[in-house]
């Protein structure tokens, strides 16, 4: 089944394995006339690049993007935008030992179960490098969203037991500390926690949050194409994501209707409708309500840990293993931009879909 | 945008509003030769029917299903199965007062924002009655899953602050108590909690859990069609769901790799590979790993509460409202079968998709 | 595979068999605010209804449509429009003899090959009655197209060896003669031809033409979603259609570039670009060029003929058969509205899709 | 709208413009375990390469394919196969004069109408070079079809007024003469016809035929996913195709039921069901009937002719133009492999889709 595409109207198709010659993405359905260039896209790819701190893998990958189609004289033409990143650092020998057994927490066993065999080098298609295509595609989506005043902020909300405090929230901190936490004090505590984990040859999970501003009310459809459902699919399609929340999320399940309902009121200048609170996280009945969209992803700890682990070989023998190689003790900081990309792709698609929601709009475009 | 369909190969398309003459579903892509009848489907519809306890709405709706196509001599023919439930109890007058204002926590405002106007009677398309089509379609999916030995159990895991304990887990309790909790003691505590809420004219959120057994390893695709992503979309497309987890979910985000990784080992008879634990909730790299699939949905409190609430009219005036009508103080018990239905639909679709994953399979079907 | 849906954004899903209790269609993705009612749709259904002349089947079917959802106070709401037609005249006994053998030219054998068995009553899902859903859905599409000034005319161009002449073209004749030919003299000749065929217990093929006016330039996409390709799929999905042409069609294959190229020139008032001729049939590079779209469908002769025919039984024995029952000696006149419906559905979908083609349009809808 | 993908399960996404750095395709949904390499794919690309005779463009393009993903140790892995061909011969200066006006018969005007502007270099996305991706993807489909014994033959059936005769049919001739006609005498006559056209600075249309053997009965779905409809869409999505036929096509429209019906009979050894004739072209009710699938595409004359033509500039002025550059006086011979590729893609998709048609098949794959 063709499972490497995301989106209905604004659609990306990613391709590539960890150790093939290149990875890439085809962005199809982007409206014509969007000004964009490689530099804009490279900015987001750089945010997911490894080697940015001692908490992420020290591999050096330049991950330079090349645009191969769909842009003419600085603007999108409406035809597919093909982007490619070469794999410069393919040290296959590092991975030869994992060909024969199934690493706990990884997709090795499920890959073999599905396809009968697998490209075992560096995780193959299940490698985190697959997200290069998502981020390059997501960058185009973000540029499109900018055109109508939609912007987003993503960050690490918690690492293991350490969570940011809303009072200390400082957006500028996100790019200042390598843990991408918008709270300098929490980042310090998380750093201490991670230093201990590293000594223990262990890894940590984390929660990533993304907030999107400027989304007009009415995006998303009332049933299966709820914007909440599309974003859920988008975010849960990222490897290692095991949980997802919109607004108060699981907190809403524990509270009362009188606490969770957001009262509607008039905006200060009386010109529009706003909400007195935002427990809904910007979505009601699956459609955007004009408030900030707030979502969270629970990311499991990196399964590649240096400790001895128990597993089974392809041939059916139980063994103890020690995984070598270059791995992230914490995937979170690099995954921030991936979450932001996927959310942006879902919203860009909903933005375009919503253009066909009313006969009025039809007349705006085709009317004489 | 056509947003009322779910699934790629096994696909349902639902239709109908709360107060129209009928609601229904078309199930397309069900393989030919499945034995099924109205009685089988009615069983699941009865589980979502209102009026089963004092904690759900006392409306009396028989919700009898009629199959209009796709079944011949007791078996599916491979062509679309159309099913219809008439709306017998349409008291539109109850809802006439809500036409002019936006109920907090409901989709009234977002509907108007999207389409310019709305069918305000009983929530229209955003009514919980829309799930009738999901449950009828989900029943067909469950019957299909049975054919290959896949079965599922769904229940209420927590209501407000009351959570079941794993030690007390008693599957038989699910249908015995109206709160659908598999723990009699927890159900008692939840009942007391709800009785208090009712006095306060308030409502409660809850967490629903679904466990699926017998899923062969390898279902789902490695990238955007991860089974976790498809189930996430399926479950988050249910109105009122604000959070979603697979396996340890948000718990995984708070723990260490050494705690979260499930060791592989040989099954007792040595014939297959199993896991020593199931923190992954049955999915690795987005594909089923042969273990039980475990998922949870966070359901927000019913927004329709009898208390006075603040809101805005369509004309842009702030008012205080008291919503009348027949509403569920707790949607959870009736939503259990909806979660189970949506999960089953996602898995049935993945089951069929996976049949095309290998050239070997092709030869099994077409080989001479 | 879910094969009963057509369209990406404006999508219909049809269901129902010839001898089930009902047939119908769900129209999803129709923009909100379109004024439409059952009477409008019934008009088109009446055009495909049998019993309109001695050349089509004398069965009496009222085929009254009921709208079950998606319309509120006379306008589409943006949610799925479910429409249903009851099967009043189900004489299953007529068909019991065909259960055991494969009628030449019919789908009996291919149905059994695909699904292992079939609903043999009246052709089951392959019956011409399946087109009821297409026509009801097509009517909604035509109403939407009217909103932007698009209209269409469809008719029978030729019956067996008899073809209309362009000089005699009289649009009013289409509904005046039961053969739906816009040329009274040709209709007379065709009638004589058919009278002879009836004596011979034979049937005739025909060519149906559809012309669509008012289509703005630019609909369709340059590659796989060419409007020509979408219309081709739409029209070739009608049972009995064996050929398809746009503009000069096969005639273009036999001529020279200098004959086939349409020169561009300025419109009379100098305000726009028009073509001096229309060999292209309104489509260049798969996108509409602002001229009239002209398409033709080759319809094979009705396979149900009263003559003795040779075939094979399900059990694998060769036999001679004489098919009884109520059949059309000429399907053409009733299929005219089906071709028009399918073309309209393809164009409506392209019309909506094209709304997302430019960043400019995005700003028209979302701009402040 | 994302319009650069074709197929539901076996899906290709093409990208690239005539004068960009490269063109390519992503093949998604190909089953794992198919043995294939660049050499196999190059064979088909070489058949569409220009410069093979004086009747096609003399441009020298090596069109060497590189596989970037989805193949491991000589076999498909089940993940997307990305293939790329560099554009070596980009002489943009040749095309600079066409930026300002609309060439008759080309997509220049419709492109500008759709997107507001266009990449005018060499036709941009509407260039024949776009078919590189189709042919590379089609090659993978053909390799898959081989696995179950399906093979195809494609050729030029007629050029202008010259048509092959069935009696002279000689398959070996197809690759022997540059016109790809399986009839040496017809090829000679066509050559003479073309030589005259060249003197006249004109071009010719042609008819391409494709015959597919070994297709099991039952592929395709009975309604909108009829195999005839999918192939129609596939073939009509090729630029310059203006007509399409299955089996007797338009001939069927002119004949009688008694002539057009194919009698069923037993195969010689009595083991299976065959047809005494094949007017249906291998498809009944839209599903394959086990006979040879026969389809034809009407290709219009190349619009780029050296003669003086009348047109309009972008600025709205009428002018006379003489198009320079390297163009095919006859596109047919190079388009043969494109038609074959598109037909193969449609059939491969139907082959995979059909695997989910029966509960029996489900048990064959998942049964214990």
């Amino acid at each position: 089944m063709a499972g490497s595409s995301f989106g209905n109207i604004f659609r990306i198709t990613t391709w590539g394995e960890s150790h093939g010659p290149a990875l890439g993405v085809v962005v199809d359905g982007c409206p014509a006339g969007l000004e964009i260039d490689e530099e804009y896209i490279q900015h987001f790819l750089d945010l997911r690049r490894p080697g940015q701190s001692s908490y992420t893998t020290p591999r050096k990958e330049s991950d330079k993007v090349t645009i191969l189609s769909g842009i003419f004289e600085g603007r999108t033409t409406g035809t597919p935008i093909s982007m490619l990143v070469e794999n410069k650092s393919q040290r296959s020998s590092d991975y030869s030992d994992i060909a024969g057994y199934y690493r706990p927490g990884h997709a090795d066993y499920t890959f073999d179960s599905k396809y009968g065999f697998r490209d075992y080098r560096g995780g193959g298609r299940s490698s985190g490098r697959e997200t290069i295509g998502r981020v390059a595609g997501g960058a185009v989506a973000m540029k499109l969203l900018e055109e109508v005043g939609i912007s987003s902020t993503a960050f690490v909300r918690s690492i293991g037991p350490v969570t940011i405090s809303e009072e200390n929230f400082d957006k500028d901190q996100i790019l200042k500390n390598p843990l991408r936490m918008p709270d300098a004090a929490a980042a310090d505590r998380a750093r201490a926690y991670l230093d201990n984990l590293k000594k223990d040859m262990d890894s940590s999970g984390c929660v990533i949050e993304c907030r999107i501003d400027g989304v007009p009310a009415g995006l998303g459809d009332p049933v299966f194409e709820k914007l909440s459902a599309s974003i859920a699919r988008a975010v849960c399609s990222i490897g290692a994501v095991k949980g997802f929340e919109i607004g108060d999320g699981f907190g809403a399940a524990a509270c009362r209707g009188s606490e969770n309902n957001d009262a509607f009121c008039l905006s200060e200048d009386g010109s529009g409708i706003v909400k007195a609170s935002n427990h809904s996280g910007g979505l009601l009945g699956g459609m955007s309500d004009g408030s900030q969209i707030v979502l969270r992803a629970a990311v499991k700890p990196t399964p590649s840990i240096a400790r001895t682990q128990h597993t089974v070989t392809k041939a059916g023998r139980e063994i103890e293993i020690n995984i070598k190689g270059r791995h992230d003790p914490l995937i979170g900081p690099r995954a921030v931009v991936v979450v932001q990309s996927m959310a942006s792709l879902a919203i860009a698609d909903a933005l375009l879909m919503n253009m066909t929601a009313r006969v009025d709009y039809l007349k705006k475009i085709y009317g004489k």
Side-chain angles (χ1 to χ4, degrees), chain A:
Chain A
M1 166 73 198
S4 287
S5 295
F6 180 84
N8 292 305
I9 294 183
F10 190 103
R11 180 158 55 196
I12 64 166
T13 301
T14 69
W15 56 269
E17 281 86 32
S18 172
H19 282 59
L23 299 108
V25 65
V26 181
V27 179
D28 200 12
C30 182
L34 182 70
E35 290 181 26
I36 196 163
D37 57 20
E38 289 173 353
E39 192 184 357
Y40 183 91
I41 292 155
Q42 192 63 50
H43 164 73
F44 294 96
L45 283 172
D46 287 349
L47 290 175
R48 77 156 287 293
R49 206 177 51 199
Q52 299 179 63
S53 82
S54 65
Y55 304 103
T56 57
T57 172
R59 279 169 297 173
K60 292 286 172 233
E61 290 155 350
S62 61
D63 292 350
K64 285 288 167 210
V65 71
T66 305
I67 297 176
L68 295 173
S69 69
I71 312 279
F72 182 61
E73 298 181 345
R75 288 185 298 165
T76 58
T77 58
T79 61
I81 305 162
S82 177
M83 294 182 280
L84 180 145
V85 166
E86 285 182 50
N87 276 326
K88 301 253 172 168
S89 161
Q90 308 160 20
R91 282 190 286 156
S92 286
S93 55
D94 284 357
Y95 295 96
S96 57
D97 53 337
I98 67 169
Y101 60 75
Y102 298 126
R103 291 169 299 164
H106 276 281
D108 302 343
Y109 174 64
T110 51
F111 245 91
D112 270 15
S113 299
K114 181 170 201 77
Y115 298 115
F117 70 104
R118 72 185 191 281
D119 177 352
Y120 49 78
R121 300 166 304 163
R125 183 71 177 144
S126 278
S127 161
R129 285 189 68 70
E130 177 267 327
T131 61
I132 283 175
R134 299 173 183 240
V135 172
V140 182
M142 281 188 252
K143 192 70 172 66
L144 184 70
L145 295 179
E146 274 180 24
E147 294 285 319
V148 293
I150 300 173
S151 61
S152 56
T153 307
F155 53 86
V156 173
R157 182 183 179 82
S158 69
I159 292 174
V162 182
T163 302
I164 62 159
S165 90
E166 207 61 48
E167 299 88 70
N168 290 351
F169 193 96
D170 176 2
K171 193 177 155 179
D172 293 342
Q173 275 295 319
I174 299 173
L175 291 182
K176 278 190 191 152
N177 73 69
L179 297 179
R180 306 284 179 246
M181 290 184 113
D183 171 345
D188 283 343
R189 292 198 307 279
R191 210 171 286 127
Y193 175 72
L194 289 170
D195 287 341
N196 265 327
L197 278 186
K198 282 178 76 172
K199 283 181 208 147
D200 279 2
M201 296 186 293
D202 218 330
S203 63
S204 177
C206 69
V207 173
I208 294 172
E209 182 164 317
C210 183
R211 301 177 181 178
I212 303 115
D213 290 288
V215 180
L219 301 201
D221 269 18
V223 185
F224 299 114
E225 297 282 342
K226 280 187 173 76
L227 187 51
S228 38
S230 301
I231 299 177
R233 183 194 160 200
V235 170
C236 292
S237 78
I238 303 169
V241 171
K242 305 298 283 188
F244 174 77
E245 290 183 325
I246 286 281
D248 286 3
F250 279 85
C255 79
R256 299 170 168 222
S258 59
E259 295 161 349
N260 189 65
N261 282 354
D262 301 312
F264 287 107
C265 46
L266 295 175
S267 60
E268 271 187 39
D269 64 357
S271 69
I273 293 174
V274 295
K275 286 157 46 198
S277 54
N278 189 20
H279 299 291
S280 77
L283 292 165
L284 282 172
M287 293 172 281
S288 56
D289 64 16
S291 305
Q292 186 182 59
I293 293 181
V294 180
L295 63 99
R296 276 176 296 282
V299 180
K300 74 174 187 180
T302 316
S304 290
I305 52 178
R307 287 187 180 198
T308 300
Q309 294 186 92
H310 189 85
T311 193
V312 173
T313 66
K314 207 167 169 176
R317 197 166 46 83
E318 301 204 357
I319 56 167
E320 305 294 311
I321 59 164
N322 291 285
I323 299 171
K324 293 174 207 107
R326 308 158 297 173
H327 301 288
D328 292 0
L330 175 71
I331 198 72
R334 292 177 56 203
V336 164
V337 70
V338 183
V339 170
Q340 187 180 18
S341 294
M342 291 309 302
S344 299
L345 285 162
I347 292 169
D349 199 32
L351 187 79
L352 295 178
M353 287 198 288
N354 186 57
M355 293 175 74
T356 67
R358 298 193 197 185
V359 171
D360 288 357
Y361 296 163
L362 204 70
K363 289 182 174 171
K364 263 196 190 174
I365 303 296
Y366 295 110
K368 276 111 199 180

